[in-house]
Amino acid sequence: MEVTRKNFKESLNTIYSAIEEADFLAIDGEFSGISDGPSVSALTNGLDTPEERYHKLKKHSMDFLLFQFGLCTFKYEQLESKYVIKSFNFYIFPKPFNRSSPDIKFICQSSSIDFLANQGFDFNKVFRNGIPYLNQEEESQLREQFEEKRSQSNGAASLSFISPSSCKGPVSVPEEHKNFINKVVEKVEALLECSDKSVELEPCTGFQRKLIYQTLNWKYPKGLHVETMETEKKERYILISKVDDEERKRREQQKQEREQEELNDAVGFSRVIHAISKSAKLVVGHNMLLDVMHTIHQFYCPLPEDLSDFKEVTMCVFPRLLDTKLMASTQPFKEIINNTSLAELEKQLKETPFKAPKVESAEGFPSYDTATEQLHEAGYDAYITGLCFISMANYLGSFLTPPKGHISARSKLIEPFFNKLFLMRIIDIPYLNISGPDLQPKRDHVLYVTFPKEWKTSDLYQLFSAFGNIQVSWIDDTSAFVSLSQTDQVQIAMNTSRYAESYRIQTYAEYLESRQDDKQS
Amino acid sequence: MEVTRKNFKESLNTIYSAIEEADFLAIDGEFSGISDGPSVSALTNGLDTPEERYHKLKKHSMDFLLFQFGLCTFKYEQLESKYVIKSFNFYIFPKPFNRSSPDIKFICQSSSIDFLANQGFDFNKVFRNGIPYLNQEEESQLREQFEEKRSQSNGAASLSFISPSSCKGPVSVPEEHKNFINKVVEKVEALLECSDKSVELEPCTGFQRKLIYQTLNWKYPKGLHVETMETEKKERYILISKVDDEERKRREQQKQEREQEELNDAVGFSRVIHAISKSAKLVVGHNMLLDVMHTIHQFYCPLPEDLSDFKEVTMCVFPRLLDTKLMASTQPFKEIINNTSLAELEKQLKETPFKAPKVESAEGFPSYDTATEQLHEAGYDAYITGLCFISMANYLGSFLTPPKGHISARSKLIEPFFNKLFLMRIIDIPYLNISGPDLQPKRDHVLYVTFPKEWKTSDLYQLFSAFGNIQVSWIDDTSAFVSLSQTDQVQIAMNTSRYAESYRIQTYAEYLESRQDDKQS
Ligand SMILES: Nc1nc2c(ncn2[C@@H]2O[C@H](COP(=O)(O)OP(=O)(O)O)[C@@H](O)[C@H]2O)c(=O)[nH]1
Ligand SMILES: Nc1nc2c(ncn2[C@@H]2O[C@H](COP(=O)(O)OP(=O)(O)O)[C@@H](O)[C@H]2O)c(=O)[nH]1
């Protein structure tokens, strides 16, 4: 089901109940770009620490926009041994909410845009009809703005955008506006005397409107309703009406409801993420680190500086994550699955020893056909990801005695895969452990080598030719990690390099230390 | 006429001849955003110097993408006293050209995107079918790449992407590839002996292909044609064919033509700008400084650091510019025209004392109807801009004796408006003078004031209350320019401030000096 700004509100209950009833959820995001840093490979060095990788992704990927979010909910029907799914494809865009709302800037990367364009991605849906959103801080700011306006107008409802700095109490009207304000007060006095129900003032400036509100609230705390209206030409003017107590309360309440509605509209798509979060359901994704980072960054808060804080926030937002790419790269799947890219994985998981699960779209939801690929629409990718998870989970059941054909999302068998997010292209750390400390592989066979930028990989092979097989992980054009095959060669290499002038070698431990020093200074 | 990647090549001649035959050209651009800096007003301080303004625009506006370019050509038909126009609406997108081409990143500003979305802007046309482009340096790099490959393949044509660092002469084949290369040479020898015309090698790595090219070119400079082919699975392999001299030359030439074509395709939309530039025709725009800056930045070269260099480049690219917003804000129009925004201007210029010009779309070009506005499609805006120019130019003719109804784009009467680009919101400098030094208004009644960030405009009014009318131009939240109404008050203000602790005053001259110092240190 496609969800845009146009049908978002009417779809919310459908979305909420789909999440509520689900056994697990699958998600996927599409972004306006991947990396604004140097080359992708320089960004994903094979010997990054988890901290380094997190910082690189935070620095070079978060200015892109997550503009399509796929959610597929999976509910198991015991009786028919099948999953019933509801798939949602959300288009997302930070449409400025009002004059004081933030004007978000985001980066587009032409290769990513071109890639999506070739898949038939509909950019018009994003930019014309994308659902807006607010993160938590923006939401509370807006809430405070509303509350402040309310307390300021002191019962009298106001539609206008008043400077939040305006204060209560007797008003100090600047000399040049005294005349203007006095005239307004005269008009109000006249209104109170006569039988008219209301009086319209001439259009005036925002500052003058502010003075009017302050003066009238202070002088006539009850019995008046002051409201900013707009002419057809978008000029703002003030309408003052006489109201009795009951009418005043009614208007007040109406206004409060309208504001709550406006607030909800502005929070927009974030409400879906809040619902996913509150459900605490298992959330499945494929190679999902960037999806998780973007989701938190866009709909909760700017990503924290420290990896450990990021893990904490992530556990609050998504208490239970599972990454199908990591699962497929782990025992017992690792040996059987030779390509873990989503499309290939899905194909392999239909063949023995795996089995395609029985899955059906819920009534009223369009069904996806895995035979005619629609990859890279987020909703479809989320769907496929869910299928992969089910096939792999069920495969685990075949090892039980007696074997079980269906393994639920709550089974102990899949717990070993929880909260481990696949780390791309790190040689010796397969995943980021969101709910605990990360693996700390020994890297004492690794050297950090710096050299003139004219050097090529072949120069490095030459330099270390005495040590047999080496593995080079480029950092930038004047440095690389070189992994030797044996740790005891490290000392020999270090000794040989002592008098070298063109290049320099450090052990991995020395390298980490000097980085630490760099940071502190 | 809408021009995308799909019909660009077939439309080029139409575009070229429209430019060639035109009396003048009107242009307009649409961007993915305007400013990524602080508030727009902080970016456009009323007392910016032209240098400052240029630097701010360069810094905060050039990372957006010019993604729609409107060109409207105007040709006067003496006999029927009418203009015949051809209007083009180009969609532009930096689609990566090949694997080694730059992966452009650009910023989108949600308010600008939302604005265009509301006008029905078609983002899919931009991102799916936008015409690519190269700036001058990228063009020469690509040309060199082609030339290098050609000289490298030494006559034998090659489709492949060879590292540019490979050199001619006897090849040093790394030990581990010697065996592989020897086998290839054996196959070639066999081919030369037998009656087969060609032999296909197994798919191999890019490095191996490079070694094959180098070896064969060196060993068999003539008589062989070596070419990289692709299997259906996108694996690259090499095809070696025997060729006689004539066939070799024919292929060589074919290849050169193909390369020229590829180069032209990559240069893409820049060719239109080159044609406009070469034509040296008068180019009219409305409030066109950003259009000119973006055009040069995207299709010629990164903008120079210095304003004076920018002016020089601009005069090379657009030897004759005219800004209708500046024209409308200058005598004799200034007094008659009270709103110079494009839509309003166009309306006013249909009424007396002005006259809507007689204009017709050329055959085969869709006609625009100014009654049903289509503002903010670049092609339409360019058209309207041209109309405004004609009406204003013709109005100048009414002052001649005898009065003239038609004033051509070459008339002396419009020369005073050449190369002066409207400067938005600068109090005392109406335009940037592209073909000469800028105006240097006296600013000795201006004070530079710094203060605590709690201050409001009213505090400044208070502070200078003794000096009558002042004008405040905010710089940021702790500084502003304050213009006094009389220059002789400056000294008094300076004296009063000597012992002040919360704020500080400098004369404008002192301010300029200290900025100069800041720059140098
Ligand atoms: N000096 C030098 N630097 C290299 C070489 N190969 C790669 N690099 C550097 O290492 C970075 C990562 O390289 P690589 O892993 O090959 O990825 P790529 O740049 O995306 O192709 C590059 O951006 C370069 O800065 C080389 O042969 N010589
Ligand atoms: N301290 C202070 N700074 C202000 C005030 N008004 C404007 N500024 C600063 O001056 C900049 C430009 O202000 P203004 O011209 O009003 O434009 P705006 O911010 O786009 O509404 C703002 O971004 C603020 O940093 C004020 O009353 N007090």
Side-chain angles (χ1 to χ4, degrees):
Chain A
M1 176 172 158
E2 210 161 74
V3 191
T4 67
R5 193 160 69 230
K6 303 223 155 147
N7 65 343
F8 180 62
K9 249 199 291 202
E10 74 203 42
S11 309
L12 253 182
N13 281 331
T14 312
I15 300 164
Y16 285 158
S17 65
I19 293 172
E20 237 6 271
E21 74 195 12
D23 286 279
F24 73 92
L25 313 171
I27 64 166
D28 182 57
E30 296 294 340
F31 319 115
S32 65
I34 298 294
S35 152
D36 69 344
S39 71
V40 170
S41 37
L43 264 183
T44 57
N45 184 285
L47 288 164
D48 279 337
T49 62
E51 282 81 9
E52 280 169 331
R53 178 59 62 82
Y54 171 69
H55 284 128
K56 285 184 192 176
L57 291 177
K58 169 168 147 54
K59 180 166 172 201
H60 294 293
S61 296
M62 288 304 115
D63 289 336
F64 298 103
L65 186 69
L66 193 178
F67 53 23
Q68 196 183 49
F69 188 94
L71 166 67
C72 189
T73 66
F74 288 77
K75 181 182 173 218
Y76 191 63
E77 305 242 310
Q78 200 77 44
L79 278 176
E80 302 180 59
S81 308
K82 72 175 183 198
Y83 276 97
V84 175
I85 63 141
K86 296 180 178 173
S87 161
F88 302 90
N89 207 20
F90 298 96
Y91 290 83
I92 294 166
F93 183 72
K95 182 180 167 72
F97 164 68
N98 67 26
R99 292 194 269 163
S100 61
S101 65
D103 188 5
I104 305 281
K105 281 117 198 166
F106 57 92
I107 304 182
C108 293
Q109 182 171 12
S110 44
S111 58
S112 301
I113 296 291
D114 185 47
F115 173 80
L116 289 171
N118 288 330
Q119 314 274 339
F121 188 88
D122 193 337
F123 298 97
N124 284 337
K125 275 208 183 116
V126 169
F127 295 143
R128 293 179 184 171
N129 299 322
I131 310 161
Y133 59 85
L134 293 181
N135 70 22
Q136 303 240 288
E137 190 177 321
E138 290 158 350
E139 178 180 344
S140 8
Q141 274 169 3
L142 191 58
R143 193 184 305 278
E144 273 167 34
Q145 257 182 50
F146 279 136
E147 271 158 21
E148 194 149 359
K149 253 168 51 186
R150 203 179 305 145
S151 77
Q152 195 178 60
S153 68
N154 197 13
S158 85
L159 243 180
S160 74
F161 299 84
I162 298 177
S163 151
S165 66
S166 59
C167 60
K168 286 173 276 180
V171 196
S172 81
V173 177
E175 204 51 57
E176 62 272 34
H177 294 292
K178 286 223 162 104
N179 201 11
F180 173 80
I181 291 297
N182 287 339
K183 287 229 172 94
V184 170
V185 171
E186 278 168 25
K187 279 194 185 153
V188 170
E189 292 291 347
L191 173 70
L192 292 174
E193 299 291 302
C194 77
S195 64
D196 289 356
K197 288 212 75 176
S198 63
V199 59
E200 282 180 11
L201 306 183
E202 293 286 295
C204 62
T205 69
F207 184 68
Q208 289 173 322
R209 288 200 304 277
K210 176 170 136 180
L211 291 175
I212 296 174
Y213 275 108
Q214 290 177 337
T215 307
L216 298 189
N217 284 334
W218 169 67
K219 276 198 155 184
Y220 310 95
K222 293 198 170 176
L224 278 189
H225 175 75
V226 186
E227 192 169 359
T228 299
M229 313 291 282
E230 248 181 26
T231 67
E232 298 215 323
K233 287 181 185 165
K234 302 271 171 194
E235 288 168 330
R236 282 153 182 266
Y237 67 94
I238 277 187
L239 175 71
I240 304 172
S241 328
K242 289 191 283 199
V243 286
D244 59 18
D245 233 40
E246 200 171 311
E247 170 72 4
R248 221 195 61 233
K249 276 208 190 114
R250 207 182 54 78
R251 292 201 187 201
E252 211 170 306
Q253 196 177 345
Q254 258 185 5
K255 172 132 193 294
Q256 212 158 325
E257 279 161 18
R258 207 164 49 225
E259 277 177 2
Q260 186 57 45
E261 178 114 359
E262 271 178 57
L263 188 65
N264 283 343
D265 289 351
V267 175
F269 181 73
S270 304
R271 298 170 75 191
V272 174
I273 303 294
H274 298 163
I276 294 176
S277 177
K278 245 181 66 189
S279 80
K281 297 270 159 91
L282 173 67
V283 172
V284 176
H286 189 82
N287 201 2
M288 72 193 303
L289 178 53
L290 267 183
D291 299 273
V292 169
M293 289 177 73
H294 267 289
T295 301
I296 292 175
H297 180 78
Q298 225 165 279
F299 310 118
Y300 276 86
C301 57
L303 293 184
E305 202 39 55
D306 274 6
L307 175 59
S308 58
D309 294 334
F310 168 70
K311 291 181 178 185
E312 214 170 286
V313 177
T314 304
M315 280 296 94
C316 289
V317 178
F318 296 119
R320 195 167 293 176
L321 290 167
L322 186 145
D323 187 330
T324 46
K325 190 171 179 85
L326 188 271
M327 191 169 182
S329 320
T330 309
Q331 295 301 0
F333 304 101
K334 195 177 171 178
E335 309 300 322
I336 335 174
I337 292 169
N338 46 50
N339 187 333
T340 62
S341 77
L342 183 57
E344 290 304 315
L345 182 61
E346 195 262 334
K347 275 188 213 141
Q348 287 175 69
L349 291 175
K350 282 178 184 159
E351 314 289 335
T352 29
F354 304 105
K355 253 180 72 186
K358 215 172 134 194
V359 172
E360 226 167 61
S361 281
E363 231 190 277
F365 283 80
S367 60
Y368 281 126
D369 178 3
T370 61
T372 65
E373 290 183 41
Q374 286 166 285
L375 236 53
H376 295 292
E377 178 181 271
Y380 181 77
D381 279 8
Y383 164 60
I384 293 295
T385 301
L387 293 188
C388 289
F389 165 67
I390 299 171
S391 291
M392 288 193 286
N394 289 347
Y395 177 70
L396 292 176
S398 68
F399 293 101
L400 295 177
T401 32
K404 262 178 120 176
H406 167 68
I407 293 299
S408 96
R410 272 168 298 272
S411 162
K412 278 232 169 312
L413 286 179
I414 55 169
E415 280 182 18
F417 303 100
F418 281 172
N419 302 328
K420 293 175 179 164
L421 303 193
F422 188 75
L423 279 175
M424 281 174 80
R425 297 198 212 132
I426 296 193
I427 294 171
D428 49 9
I429 313 179
Y431 58 83
L432 188 68
N433 184 10
I434 298 291
S435 51
D438 282 303
L439 299 173
Q440 291 211 306
K442 269 210 158 77
R443 288 181 175 174
D444 39 17
H445 61 301
V446 175
L447 298 172
Y448 173 70
V449 191
T450 50
F451 41 78
K453 67 171 182 303
E454 290 72 30
W455 279 36
K456 307 256 160 235
T457 307
S458 55
D459 295 296
L460 288 167
Y461 276 103
Q462 182 120 37
L463 181 60
F464 293 98
S465 54
F467 302 108
N469 228 356
I470 64 164
Q471 191 171 9
V472 175
S473 311
W474 284 94
I475 299 168
D476 54 34
D477 57 0
T478 62
S479 63
F481 291 119
V482 172
S483 311
L484 305 181
S485 49
Q486 259 124 38
T487 305
D488 53 13
Q489 296 169 336
V490 164
Q491 205 42 55
I492 311 174
M494 294 292 295
N495 291 343
T496 336
S497 77
R498 192 149 299 154
Y499 304 105
E501 284 186 356
S502 58
Y503 66 94
R504 209 168 72 102
I505 301 188
Q506 289 186 307
T507 63
Y508 185 75
E510 285 167 355
Y511 161 78
L512 281 189
E513 235 167 73
S514 66
R515 272 191 59 106
Q516 208 53 43
D517 293 351
D518 282 3
K519 253 197 203 159
Q520 275 158 12
S521 68
Chain B
M1 177 172 158
E2 210 161 72
V3 191
T4 67
R5 194 161 69 229
K6 302 223 154 148
N7 65 342
F8 179 61
K9 247 195 294 198
E10 73 202 43
S11 309
L12 254 181
N13 281 330
T14 311
I15 300 163
Y16 285 158
S17 66
I19 293 172
E20 237 5 271
E21 73 195 13
D23 287 279
F24 73 92
L25 313 173
I27 63 166
D28 182 57
E30 297 294 340
F31 319 116
S32 64
I34 297 295
S35 152
D36 68 345
S39 72
V40 171
S41 36
L43 265 182
T44 57
N45 185 284
L47 287 165
D48 280 335
T49 62
E51 283 80 9
E52 281 170 328
R53 179 60 60 82
Y54 171 70
H55 283 127
K56 286 184 192 175
L57 292 177
K58 170 167 145 50
K59 180 166 170 201
H60 294 292
S61 296
M62 288 304 116
D63 289 335
F64 298 103
L65 187 69
L66 193 178
F67 53 22
Q68 195 181 50
F69 189 94
L71 168 67
C72 189
T73 66
F74 287 78
K75 182 182 172 218
Y76 191 64
E77 305 241 311
Q78 201 75 47
L79 280 176
E80 302 181 59
S81 310
K82 71 174 183 199
Y83 276 98
V84 175
I85 62 138
K86 295 180 178 172
S87 162
F88 302 90
N89 208 20
F90 298 95
Y91 290 83
I92 295 166
F93 182 71
K95 183 182 165 70
F97 165 66
N98 66 27
R99 294 194 269 161
S100 60
S101 66
D103 188 5
I104 304 283
K105 281 119 200 164
F106 57 92
I107 303 183
C108 294
Q109 182 170 12
S110 44
S111 58
S112 302
I113 296 291
D114 186 48
F115 174 80
L116 290 170
N118 287 331
Q119 313 275 338
F121 189 88
D122 193 338
F123 297 96
N124 285 337
K125 275 208 183 116
V126 169
F127 294 144
R128 293 178 183 171
N129 300 321
I131 311 161
Y133 59 86
L134 294 181
N135 70 21
Q136 303 241 289
E137 191 178 320
E138 290 158 350
E139 178 180 345
S140 15
Q141 272 169 3
L142 191 59
R143 195 183 302 278
E144 274 167 32
Q145 256 181 48
F146 279 135
E147 271 159 20
E148 194 150 357
K149 252 168 52 185
R150 202 179 303 144
S151 79
Q152 194 179 62
S153 69
N154 196 15
S158 85
L159 245 178
S160 73
F161 299 84
I162 299 177
S163 151
S165 65
S166 59
C167 60
K168 284 175 278 180
V171 196
S172 81
V173 177
E175 204 54 53
E176 62 272 32
H177 293 293
K178 287 223 160 105
N179 200 12
F180 172 81
I181 291 296
N182 287 339
K183 286 226 173 97
V184 170
V185 171
E186 277 169 27
K187 279 193 186 155
V188 170
E189 291 293 343
L191 173 70
L192 293 174
E193 298 293 302
C194 76
S195 63
D196 291 357
K197 289 209 75 173
S198 64
V199 60
E200 281 180 11
L201 306 182
E202 295 284 296
C204 62
T205 70
F207 184 67
Q208 289 174 322
R209 290 200 302 277
K210 175 170 136 181
L211 291 175
I212 295 173
Y213 275 107
Q214 290 178 335
T215 307
L216 299 188
N217 284 332
W218 169 67
K219 276 199 153 176
Y220 310 95
K222 294 199 170 174
L224 278 190
H225 175 76
V226 186
E227 194 171 355
T228 300
M229 313 291 282
E230 250 182 23
T231 67
E232 297 214 322
K233 288 180 184 166
K234 301 270 173 195
E235 288 167 330
R236 283 154 181 263
Y237 67 93
I238 277 186
L239 176 70
I240 304 172
S241 328
K242 288 191 283 198
V243 287
D244 60 17
D245 234 41
E246 201 171 309
E247 170 71 6
R248 223 195 59 235
K249 278 211 188 109
R250 207 182 53 79
R251 291 200 187 201
E252 211 169 306
Q253 198 177 342
Q254 260 184 4
K255 171 134 193 295
Q256 211 157 326
E257 280 161 15
R258 207 162 49 223
E259 277 177 4
Q260 186 58 46
E261 178 115 0
E262 271 178 56
L263 187 65
N264 283 343
D265 289 351
V267 176
F269 180 73
S270 305
R271 298 169 76 189
V272 174
I273 303 294
H274 299 164
I276 293 176
S277 177
K278 244 180 67 189
S279 80
K281 298 270 160 87
L282 174 67
V283 172
V284 176
H286 189 81
N287 201 3
M288 73 193 305
L289 178 53
L290 267 183
D291 300 272
V292 169
M293 289 177 74
H294 267 290
T295 303
I296 292 175
H297 180 78
Q298 226 165 277
F299 309 118
Y300 276 86
C301 57
L303 293 183
E305 202 40 54
D306 274 7
L307 175 60
S308 59
D309 294 335
F310 167 71
K311 292 181 176 183
E312 214 170 286
V313 178
T314 304
M315 280 295 95
C316 289
V317 177
F318 296 119
R320 196 166 292 175
L321 290 167
L322 187 145
D323 187 328
T324 47
K325 189 171 179 87
L326 188 270
M327 191 170 182
S329 322
T330 309
Q331 295 300 1
F333 304 101
K334 197 178 168 177
E335 310 299 322
I336 333 174
I337 292 169
N338 46 50
N339 186 334
T340 62
S341 76
L342 184 56
E344 290 304 315
L345 182 61
E346 196 262 335
K347 275 186 214 141
Q348 288 175 69
L349 291 175
K350 284 177 183 160
E351 315 288 335
T352 29
F354 304 105
K355 249 181 72 184
K358 212 171 136 196
V359 172
E360 224 168 63
S361 280
E363 229 190 277
F365 283 80
S367 60
Y368 282 125
D369 178 3
T370 62
T372 65
E373 289 183 41
Q374 288 165 284
L375 235 54
H376 294 291
E377 176 180 273
Y380 181 77
D381 279 7
Y383 165 60
I384 293 294
T385 301
L387 293 188
C388 291
F389 165 68
I390 298 171
S391 291
M392 289 193 285
N394 288 347
Y395 177 70
L396 293 177
S398 69
F399 295 100
L400 294 178
T401 33
K404 262 178 118 177
H406 167 70
I407 293 299
S408 95
R410 273 167 298 272
S411 161
K412 279 230 170 310
L413 286 180
I414 54 170
E415 280 181 19
F417 304 99
F418 281 171
N419 304 327
K420 294 176 180 165
L421 304 193
F422 188 75
L423 279 176
M424 280 174 80
R425 298 197 212 130
I426 295 192
I427 295 172
D428 50 9
I429 312 178
Y431 58 83
L432 186 69
N433 185 9
I434 298 290
S435 52
D438 283 303
L439 299 173
Q440 292 210 306
K442 269 208 157 77
R443 289 183 175 171
D444 39 17
H445 61 301
V446 176
L447 299 172
Y448 172 72
V449 191
T450 49
F451 41 77
K453 67 173 182 306
E454 289 71 31
W455 280 36
K456 307 254 160 239
T457 307
S458 55
D459 295 296
L460 288 169
Y461 276 104
Q462 182 118 39
L463 180 61
F464 294 99
S465 53
F467 301 108
N469 229 355
I470 64 166
Q471 192 172 7
V472 176
S473 310
W474 285 94
I475 299 168
D476 53 36
D477 57 1
T478 62
S479 64
F481 291 120
V482 173
S483 311
L484 304 181
S485 49
Q486 259 124 38
T487 305
D488 52 15
Q489 298 169 334
V490 165
Q491 205 43 53
I492 312 173
M494 294 293 293
N495 291 342
T496 338
S497 77
R498 193 149 298 156
Y499 305 104
E501 282 184 0
S502 57
Y503 67 93
R504 209 167 71 102
I505 301 187
Q506 289 186 306
T507 64
Y508 185 76
E510 285 166 353
Y511 161 78
L512 282 188
E513 235 167 72
S514 65
R515 271 191 59 104
Q516 208 54 41
D517 293 350
D518 282 0
K519 252 195 202 160
Q520 275 158 13
S521 67

